[in-house]
Amino acid sequence: MKAAKLCLISTALLGLAGCAAGPQVQVSALSSTRYAPTSLVETLSKAPDRPYTAIAKIHAEAPSGTPSAQVIAIIEKHAAALGADAVILHNESRSSPAQVQFNPSGGNYQNLSPQITPIYSGEAIRWSSSRK
């Protein structure tokens, strides 16, 4: 009986650990070429004028209330691991409006502030060695 309870508790804890909220990242390689990791990744808001090669698409999304800087840092970290010199970043964040919610335990209403769900997509790029 003790073993069954222990198994049930372990399964429940593992299930809860799987639900832990954190940034979710998806990386799609655009090239089969592999590069050595870089230590510094430049963040750009638009495509640069100088020649470059796109090496991957990176998409990151985090739970509402997560600082945008944390999500951007995760994209930069993945880009650096791929050998990118820069990442062209696109902000796709969503915001939910302020809400009024009934709290049944207290029998009153509470105001919920607006929340932002940080969502960013980036294109990891590497500078081309040839100049045009």
Side-chain angles (χ1 to χ4, degrees):
M1 187 66 176
K2 283 186 179 182
K5 282 185 179 180
L6 182 59
C7 182
L8 182 60
I9 291 171
S10 297
T11 304
L13 289 175
L14 286 174
L16 289 174
C19 295
Q24 296 179 358
V25 181
Q26 298 171 343
V27 179
S28 303
L30 299 175
S31 169
S32 60
T33 305
R34 301 289 178 228
Y35 301 99
T38 53
S39 59
L40 181 64
V41 175
E42 187 177 353
T43 303
L44 309 171
S45 59
K46 63 181 180 130
D49 292 330
R50 70 189 273 193
Y52 65 89
T53 301
I55 59 175
K57 296 272 188 187
I58 304 172
H59 178 83
E61 182 172 345
S64 295
T66 303
S68 295
Q70 182 179 345
V71 180
I72 293 168
I74 288 171
I75 289 177
E76 290 171 345
K77 180 180 174 183
H78 279 79
L82 294 169
D85 294 313
V87 63
I88 304 167
L89 200 63
H90 305 284
N91 185 350
E92 302 167 1
S93 299
R94 294 187 307 254
S95 65
S96 61
Q99 298 177 3
V100 176
Q101 182 181 29
F102 181 71
N103 182 348
S105 65
N108 57 359
Y109 289 90
Q110 61 188 39
N111 292 319
L112 300 177
S113 58
Q115 293 287 320
I116 295 177
T117 303
I119 305 169
Y120 288 87
S121 290
E123 185 176 21
I125 62 172
R126 191 165 173 87
W127 302 126
S128 298
S129 56
S130 61
R131 300 274 180 171
K132 292 183 180 178

